């Protein structure tokens, strides 16, 4: 903490001082609302809508709306928002990011701004990272909204296209970032307006906001259509690639002279790329009877060869993909789930099909695409919650014009949060992790190790097996 922060308080502390009077106003209404009958409490929804229709703003009705939702949650779920959760709700309503520690009840926090903003009739989208959470939260928190006379929608993979329009027409819609994004793309491809399922992008509350808006921000959502029939060049390029020798390196050194390398192509395991060496290029020119592979006239041939050596050298069966019933199915590197219906683009999927000796399907062409970053910037108001946002505060501010407010915990944190440990290289980090696991294991202390991908988990597992550590 810098000297200025010590004197004037952090940005979050200064902003919270402005929010405390609003929180106190909500808390002051607790006794009044607790005395209401169920019918009187339910009648608050049309009364609040009427106040909006008569010219009041959402900020004007916020204390009453929050007090209504808070009392409803207590009657329906047996849960009453703590003062810090009210603060979190205010931050979300203001279109900001609330950083709340794990276990502080972010799911319940979202009900306050969702109820308030749903009163406008424009719809609220609550975005989660997977189908399970979307379904759970829509059923669990949905009881509060339904008690107060609002409709709740759910958009997950199993929801059929014909049911989606009704889901988006609800006052509050729960769903995953993927489903919201793909529905937007399909709407843009619809020929008739009545075939579109989404309506206004008025307000979104994004759970695990750093994961969706930062880590996956540039992940493109792509809808592909059937293109031209795949050429025989995939099989021919694969037969050629099968004859080539490969040199695997952890990372390609840009300064290294490739003329001396006694291999036809190099696989960079870190960047997951495969590149022909000068030796391999000469072999390709002789095999395909062309004078110069780099000639612009040979761009298509060069592309097919590059995809063939990538399919052979980089893409591993039963790691990156599986072959089932004569089809190549992608394996999600983060979850390990099979991604049915998804295909690698730019001809890589066809190159793998040629390598595996299955039917080479039609090439696909991109019909519609958008990144998560561009999709979520469509919303008139955007907010989010996570346990870790301050580290990406600069990026949130620059890309989305969102500031991060650190919400205090309801009770002092008993857990000891150690500072991050930084290592010179990945090997050092892995060995330090293994050493720590061994320490805990020796004491009989259970330890949970989280990694970013299955590949990293398997790497740790391999070392632990070699050391005889059961896991």
């Amino acid at each position: 903490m810098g000297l200025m922060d010590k004197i004037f308080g952090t940005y979050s502390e200064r902003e919270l001082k402005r929010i405390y009077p609003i929180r106190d106003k909500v808390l002051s209404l607790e006794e009044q609302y607790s005395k209401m009958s169920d019918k009187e409490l339910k009648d608050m929804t049309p009364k609040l809508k009427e106040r909006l229709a008569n010219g009041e703003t959402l900020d004007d009705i916020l204390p009453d709306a929050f007090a209504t939702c808070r009392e409803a949650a207590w009657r329906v779920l047996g849960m009453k928002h703590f003062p810090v959760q009210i603060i979190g709700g205010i931050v979300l309503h203001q279109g900001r990011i609330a950083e709340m520690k794990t276990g502080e009840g972010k799911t319940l926090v979202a009900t306050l701004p969702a109820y308030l903003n749903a009163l406008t009739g424009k719809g609220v989208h609550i975005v989660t990272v997977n189908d399970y959470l979307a379904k759970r939260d829509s059923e669990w928190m949905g009881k509060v909204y339904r008690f107060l006379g609002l409709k709740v929608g759910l958009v997950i993979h199993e929801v059929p296209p014909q049911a989606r329009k009704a889901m988006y027409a609800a006052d509050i819609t729960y769903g995953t970032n993927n489903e919201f994004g793909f529905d937007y793309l399909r709407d843009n491809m619809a020929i008739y307006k009545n075939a579109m399922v989404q309506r206004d992008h008025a307000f979104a509350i994004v759970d695990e906001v750093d994961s969706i808006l930062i880590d996956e921000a540039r992940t493109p959502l792509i809808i592909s259509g059937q293109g031209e029939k795949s050429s025989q060049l995939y099989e021919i390029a694969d037969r050629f690639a099968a004859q080539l020798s490969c040199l695997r390196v952890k990372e390609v050194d840009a300064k290294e002279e490739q003329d001396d390398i006694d291999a036809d192509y190099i696989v960079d395991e870190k960047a997951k790329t495969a590149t022909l060496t000068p030796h391999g290029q000469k072999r390709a020119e002789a095999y395909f009877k062309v004078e110069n592979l780099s000639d612009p006239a040979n761009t298509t041939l060069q592309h097919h060869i590059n995809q063939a050596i990538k399919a052979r050298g980089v893409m591993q069966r039963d790691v990156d993909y599986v072959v089932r019933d004569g089809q190549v199915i992608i394996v999600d590197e983060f979850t390990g789930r099979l991604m049915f219906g998804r295909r690698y683009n730019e001809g890589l999927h066809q190159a793998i099909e040629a390598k595996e000796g299955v039917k080479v399907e039609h090439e696909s062409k991109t019909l519609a695409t958008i990144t998560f970053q561009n999709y979520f910037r469509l919303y008139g108001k955007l907010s989010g919650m996570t346990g870790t946002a301050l580290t990406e505060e600069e990026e949130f501010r620059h890309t989305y014009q969102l500031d991060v407010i650190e919400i205090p915990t309801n009770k002092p944190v008993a857990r000891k949060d150690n500072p991050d440990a930084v290592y010179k290289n990945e090997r050092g980090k892995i060995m330090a992790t293994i050493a720590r696991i061994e320490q805990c294991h020796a004491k009989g202390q259970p330890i949970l190790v989280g990694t970013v991908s299955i590949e990293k988990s398997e790497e740790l597992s391999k070392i632990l097996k070699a050391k005889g550590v059961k896991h």
Side-chain angles (χ1 to χ4, degrees), residues 4 24 27 30 34-35 38 49 58 60 77 103 106 130 159 206 233 251 315 348 358 363 431 435 438 450:
M4 296 300 283
D24 295 342
L27 290 169
E30 183 177 348
S34 66
K35 289 175 182 172
D38 282 2
K49 284 182 177 179
L58 287 175
D60 293 332
L77 304 174
K106 292 190 282 289
N130 60 48
V159 176
V206 183
L233 207 45
E251 193 172 354
M315 309 307 290
L348 179 59
V358 301
E363 290 177 16
M431 294 324 292
E438 286 182 303

Side-chain angles (χ1 to χ4, degrees), residues 5-287:
D5 285 347
K6 282 180 179 173
I7 298 168
F8 299 107
T10 63
Y11 175 74
S12 289
E13 285 166 350
R14 294 195 301 274
E15 289 300 304
L16 286 172
K17 281 179 185 173
R18 298 178 187 177
I19 291 169
Y20 289 146
I22 309 171
R23 172 205 62 186
D24 295 342
K25 177 73 175 144
V26 176
L27 290 169
S28 71
L29 295 169
E30 183 177 348
E31 192 180 340
Q32 179 190 329
Y33 278 80
S34 66
K35 289 175 182 172
M36 285 185 181
S37 66
D38 282 2
K39 186 184 181 303
E40 286 173 323
L41 195 61
K42 289 175 182 180
D43 285 344
M44 282 305 298
T45 299
K47 281 179 184 173
L48 290 166
K49 284 182 177 179
E50 193 180 333
R51 284 174 62 183
L52 285 175
N54 291 335
E56 288 191 61
T57 66
L58 287 175
D59 289 340
D60 293 332
I61 67 164
L62 184 149
D64 286 297
F66 274 31
T68 301
C69 185
R70 190 168 179 244
E71 183 59 32
W74 176 244
R75 294 186 193 186
V76 177
L77 304 174
M79 300 164 84
K80 186 168 276 188
H81 302 76
F82 293 122
V84 291
Q85 290 177 312
I86 295 170
I87 294 168
I90 295 164
V91 167
L92 293 177
H93 161 65
Q94 291 175 344
R96 306 162 109 172
I97 292 170
E99 181 183 279
M100 301 184 76
K101 294 273 189 288
T102 303
E104 288 295 296
K106 292 190 282 289
T107 306
L108 186 63
V109 168
T111 58
L112 297 170
Y115 173 70
L116 170 64
N117 284 267
L119 296 170
T120 62
K122 292 178 182 174
V124 175
H125 293 172
I126 300 182
V127 188
T128 64
V129 290
N130 60 48
D131 284 1
Y132 165 74
L133 287 174
K135 192 168 188 291
R136 183 201 72 176
D137 294 355
S138 71
E139 290 169 358
W140 187 20
M141 298 297 134
K143 292 173 185 172
V144 179
Y145 308 127
R146 290 186 188 101
F147 175 83
L148 291 169
L150 298 181
K151 288 179 181 169
V152 182
L154 172 66
V155 179
I156 55 175
H157 189 64
E158 297 97 79
V159 176
Q162 61 272 23
R164 293 192 174 220
K165 193 163 190 169
M167 294 298 175
Y168 283 110
D171 298 296
I172 296 160
T173 306
Y174 282 85
T176 64
N177 48 331
N178 283 327
E179 294 303 319
F180 283 127
F182 277 120
D183 281 340
Y184 172 75
L185 291 180
R186 283 188 281 266
D187 277 358
N188 273 273
M189 292 165 62
I191 298 168
Y192 301 107
K193 194 176 180 182
N194 62 4
M196 295 169 73
V197 296
Q198 288 189 346
R199 51 186 184 129
D200 296 337
H201 292 84
F203 179 42
I205 300 170
V206 183
D207 194 12
E208 302 302 343
V209 67
D210 51 342
S211 171
I212 294 172
L213 295 191
I214 303 293
D215 301 345
E216 295 183 49
R218 290 177 184 85
T219 302
L221 295 172
I222 300 168
I223 292 181
S224 301
Q226 201 173 76
E228 301 158 18
K229 190 181 175 207
S230 293
S231 69
Q232 281 186 302
L233 207 45
Y234 285 109
E235 280 109 333
I236 299 165
D238 180 69
R239 284 199 290 274
F240 167 66
Q243 302 170 15
L244 303 181
S245 58
C246 165
L247 171 67
R248 294 182 178 279
V249 294
K250 288 286 179 195
E251 193 172 354
V252 170
D253 185 353
K255 297 173 190 170
E256 196 177 324
E257 282 291 329
Q258 292 192 3
D259 290 322
D260 308 329
I261 294 170
D262 187 25
D264 297 314
Y265 66 98
I266 301 170
V267 169
D268 182 333
E269 292 183 336
K270 185 181 178 185
K272 287 198 167 187
T273 58
T275 318
L276 279 177
T277 62
H279 186 265
Q281 194 159 335
K282 283 179 187 140
R283 284 194 68 176
E285 286 163 354
Y287 188 90

Side-chain angles (χ1 to χ4, degrees), residues 445-462:
Q445 180 186 356
I447 180 165
L448 176 67
V449 185
T451 67
V452 293
S453 67
I454 292 164
E455 191 182 1
K456 296 288 179 197
S457 295
E458 287 176 343
E459 192 179 341
L460 285 175
S461 178
K462 204 171 168 184

Side-chain angles (χ1 to χ4, degrees), residues 272-316:
K272 287 198 167 187
T273 58
T275 318
L276 279 177
T277 62
H279 186 265
Q281 194 159 335
K282 283 179 187 140
R283 284 194 68 176
E285 286 163 354
Y287 188 90
F288 290 98
K289 298 181 175 58
V290 294
E291 201 172 309
N292 179 9
L293 188 64
S294 301
D295 192 295
N298 298 320
T299 302
T300 303
L301 173 62
Q302 192 178 22
H303 175 72
H304 279 73
I305 293 169
N306 286 340
Q307 295 297 46
I309 60 175
K310 186 173 181 180
R312 290 256 165 200
V314 177
M315 309 307 290
Q316 297 176 58

